[in-house]
């Protein structure tokens, strides 16, 4: 694919910067407890961590009736948080399908009293609200399918046939997902594909039905930090690189310590931490895909909603420094109290810790600064500054406007830098 073709396909994603990840499935019923005992580890891994036999785990489906699920409400939460795309688990490692599929009855429409297809409802709600819609699909691990990888307590691994699983199950299911749910913005494969050939085949399969869909970096067989078969590099979970990465990349992240709902995980990241992570990621050229883990009733946990609202309120005022922004043109040290994002002719200085004397000196400014102002300030009132070569001293005053991140815009005399 030519560079211009690639740039065209990736344009919306580069602009979007912030997305909502949704891990939702049968595991939201046990929510981290099995037979009265806490099961440590990620909520969505409970079947594996407690080695629950398929016969027992399957029974959860009979009790899955998330009547409070409201696609419009979820999209509203994402939108108000300033998120521009949604990626939801169509099939996670437990193999339970959160969409209507002809390939197995082990799906939310046929196996539960709920009898609705949340992916259909969510994809439609996203379309109405102008939010891009994508799905997560576990292409390697499937603890329910006899040929999927990962389950050695119900199946003999030596008898598994991955090719059969790929051809007779994964590809037909992907075809359903790629043809029945409108435009698909992202197909989020996870872990890795067994070989580069399989990864390439899967990518071609996706593009056969949705030529514009972006494919996550975890389609690659274990390649990271490099341009692979996926359309962008997918970093490790909650991983933020030390420096700018010169290729499209994304950090998938939890809002507490699990992806799938766990009733006793209350270790929420504060809105401040999330805003700072978002700024850090954008300043290094990446996207932030932040997860929520809805309950078995179909609700996004209230603490997540409250956190996201605050992030959204900050973005409402400061979004110009995030959406479509480019990485910092200057390397900052992890301990610097500020970070940069940029757009042609504008440098956004994110002041993350207010200086005690109301002044901050920044370095590496290779252009004449024409004007400085707080992005969230009234009428963009001018800020006093002094420039000596590449150093700029900003007089901020003693009172921050925002408790987390105050963005100062430096307008440059010409648009050549940054
Ligand atoms: O095993 C999964 C995990 O459950 C979750 O889906 C995350 C999201 O990035 N991916 C895998 C671990 O990296």
């Amino acid at each position: 694919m030519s560079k211009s073709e690639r740039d065209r396909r990736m344009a919306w994603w580069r602009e979007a910067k912030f997305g909502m990840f949704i891990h939702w499935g049968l595991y939201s019923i046990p929510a981290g407890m099995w037979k009265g005992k806490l099961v440590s580890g990620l909520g969505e891994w409970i079947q594996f961590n407690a080695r629950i036999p398929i016969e027992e785990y399957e029974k959860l489906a009979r009790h899955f009736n998330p009547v409070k699920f409201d696609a419009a409400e979820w999209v509203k939460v994402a939108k108000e948080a300033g998120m521009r795309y949604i990626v939801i688990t169509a099939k996670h490692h437990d193999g339970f399908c959160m969409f209507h599929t002809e390939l197995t009855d082990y799906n939310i429409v046929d196996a539960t009293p709920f009898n609705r297809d949340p992916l259909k409802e969510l994809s439609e709600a996203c379309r109405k609200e102008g939010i891009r819609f994508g799905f997560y699909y576990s292409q390697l691990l499937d603890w329910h399918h006899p040929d999927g990888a990962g389950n050695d307590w119900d199946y003999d691994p030596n008898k598994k046939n991955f090719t059969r699983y790929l051809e007779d199950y994964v590809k037909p299911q992907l075809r359903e997902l790629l043809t029945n749910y409108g435009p698909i913005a992202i197909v989020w494969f996870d872990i890795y594909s067994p070989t580069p050939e399989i990864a390439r085949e899967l990518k071609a399969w996706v593009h056969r039905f949705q030529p514009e869909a972006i494919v996550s970096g975890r389609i690659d067989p274990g390649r990271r930090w490099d341009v692979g078969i996926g359309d962008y590099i997918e970093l490790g979970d909650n991983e933020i690189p030390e420096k700018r990465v010169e290729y499209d990349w994304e950090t998938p992240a939890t809002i507490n310590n699990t992806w799938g709902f766990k009733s006793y995980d209350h270790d929420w990241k504060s809105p401040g931490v999330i805003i700072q992570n978002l700024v850090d990621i954008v300043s290094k050229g990446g996207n932030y895909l932040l997860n929520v883990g809805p309950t078995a009733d179909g609700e996004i946990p209230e603490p997540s909603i409250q956190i996201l609202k605050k992030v959204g309120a900050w973005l409402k005022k400061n979004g110009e420094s995030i959406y479509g922004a480019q990485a910092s043109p200057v390397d900052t040290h992890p301990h610097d109290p500020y970070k940069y994002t940029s757009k042609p002719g504008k440098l956004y200085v994110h002041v993350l810790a207010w200086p005690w004397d109301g002044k901050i000196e920044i370095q590496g400014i290779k252009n004449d600064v024409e004007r400085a102002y707080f992005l969230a300030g009234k009428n963009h009132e001018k800020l006093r500054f002094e420039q000596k070569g590449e150093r700029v001293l900003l007089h901020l005053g003693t009172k921050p406007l925002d408790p987390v991140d105050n963005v100062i815009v430096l307008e440059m005399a010409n648009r050549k830098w940054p």
Side-chain angles (χ1 to χ4, degrees):
M1 188 193 312
S2 72
K3 185 177 177 306
S4 62
E5 163 68 0
R6 197 187 131 66
D7 288 347
R8 192 190 57 72
R9 280 181 59 237
M10 296 299 290
W12 75 263
W13 188 88
R14 291 176 184 160
E15 170 76 28
K17 292 292 170 195
F18 191 30
M20 177 183 269
F21 213 176
I22 303 176
H23 277 66
W24 195 37
L26 290 183
Y27 39 79
S28 62
I29 302 176
M33 302 267 291
W34 195 252
K35 297 196 171 157
K37 287 203 181 112
L38 300 188
V39 180
S40 64
L42 301 168
E44 71 284 3
W45 273 75
I46 193 165
Q47 186 185 4
F48 180 91
N49 290 337
R51 298 295 192 280
I52 304 169
I54 289 175
E55 213 186 321
E56 270 185 59
Y57 189 85
E58 266 181 350
K59 288 186 189 144
L60 290 171
R62 294 186 211 155
H63 306 285
F64 195 41
N65 197 13
V67 287
K68 292 187 179 161
F69 169 67
D70 178 347
E73 193 53 40
W74 286 17
V75 173
K76 194 169 153 215
V77 171
K79 216 172 166 178
E80 279 184 12
M83 293 159 148
R84 300 274 171 95
Y85 57 108
I86 288 182
V87 178
I88 183 167
T89 45
K91 175 178 84 93
H92 202 265
H93 310 331
D94 66 357
F96 185 71
C97 301
M98 292 295 284
F99 64 104
H100 198 204
T101 169
E102 296 294 321
L103 277 296
T104 173
D105 285 345
Y106 197 45
N107 73 74
I108 188 158
V109 177
D110 295 322
T112 77
F114 187 51
N115 200 240
R116 278 161 55 189
D117 183 339
L119 260 69
K120 186 126 258 164
E121 294 178 27
L122 199 62
S123 62
E124 282 161 9
C126 279
R127 210 166 316 134
K128 260 193 211 142
E129 292 299 326
I131 297 281
R132 304 268 177 163
F133 174 79
F135 62 83
Y136 168 112
Y137 189 90
S138 178
Q139 81 276 30
L140 176 72
L141 299 186
D142 190 318
W143 304 322
H144 186 263
H145 193 287
D147 290 318
N151 182 338
D152 59 4
W153 59 99
D154 285 292
Y155 301 120
D156 177 354
N158 296 317
K159 294 197 178 134
K160 291 187 185 202
N161 180 338
F162 192 82
T163 310
R164 191 164 55 196
Y165 162 69
L166 184 72
E167 296 300 328
D168 299 351
Y169 194 72
V170 171
K171 283 190 184 171
Q173 281 208 325
L174 286 172
R175 178 204 285 257
E176 291 177 327
L177 285 162
L178 293 162
T179 49
N180 297 338
Y181 296 86
I184 300 295
I186 297 185
V187 180
W188 214 97
F189 291 110
D190 200 3
I191 312 271
Y192 57 81
S193 302
T195 64
E197 291 71 35
I198 291 176
R200 271 190 214 100
E201 229 178 287
L202 280 175
K203 190 177 181 190
W205 188 253
V206 167
H207 287 152
R208 178 163 158 189
F209 304 106
Q210 295 270 347
E212 295 297 308
I214 293 174
V215 172
S216 78
R218 292 201 189 159
I219 196 175
D220 282 274
R223 250 175 109 174
R224 298 176 57 230
W225 295 104
D226 202 357
V227 182
I229 295 159
D231 287 309
Y232 61 89
I233 300 169
E234 196 71 64
L235 292 196
D237 296 345
N238 291 304
E239 183 180 13
I240 302 180
E242 265 177 37
K243 287 194 171 159
R244 188 170 55 231
V245 176
E246 302 296 346
Y247 195 67
D248 298 302
W249 62 274
E250 180 180 72
T251 294
T254 52
I255 196 164
N256 47 356
N257 298 310
T258 179
W259 305 89
F261 180 66
K262 265 176 101 173
S263 57
Y264 51 92
D265 184 341
H266 307 297
D267 191 15
W268 307 102
K269 293 185 179 111
S270 69
V273 165
I274 292 186
I275 292 165
Q276 294 199 358
N277 284 349
L278 176 64
V279 169
D280 196 11
I281 287 168
V282 176
S283 81
K284 290 163 183 164
N287 275 28
Y288 193 26
L289 184 62
L290 182 65
N291 184 70
V292 294
T295 64
D297 283 344
E299 288 183 306
I300 297 177
E302 191 55 31
S304 301
I305 294 180
Q306 292 312 321
I307 293 163
L308 293 177
K309 269 196 178 148
K310 291 190 178 139
V311 176
W314 180 87
L315 272 167
K316 222 169 237 146
K317 293 184 191 152
N318 296 287
E320 184 195 307
S321 67
I322 297 292
Y323 303 117
Q326 277 140 32
S328 170
V330 184
D331 277 339
T332 51
H333 190 272
H335 298 304
D336 283 340
Y338 51 84
K339 301 213 173 286
Y340 304 120
T341 56
S342 66
K343 281 187 182 166
K346 280 184 182 177
L347 185 71
Y348 301 98
V349 186
H350 297 258
V351 182
L352 302 171
W354 199 257
W356 65 273
D357 61 353
K359 287 183 221 155
I360 189 168
E361 190 183 78
I362 54 172
Q363 300 175 17
I365 310 304
K366 297 184 193 339
N367 198 340
D368 290 341
V369 176
E370 210 170 52
R371 214 160 84 92
Y373 55 87
F374 282 113
L375 184 53
K378 253 195 215 148
N379 306 324
H380 290 174
E381 225 171 85
K382 278 187 192 164
L383 259 184
R384 195 152 76 79
F385 68 91
E386 293 152 53
Q387 183 165 20
K388 274 195 192 127
E390 293 191 0
R391 291 168 180 260
V392 176
L393 181 69
L394 293 160
H395 296 264
L396 306 180
T398 47
K399 254 212 201 131
L401 297 174
D402 188 279
V404 177
D405 176 13
N406 290 271
V407 185
I408 295 152
V409 187
L410 300 187
E411 283 186 359
M412 302 300 171
N414 66 57
R415 284 166 59 95
K416 278 197 195 125
W417 188 92

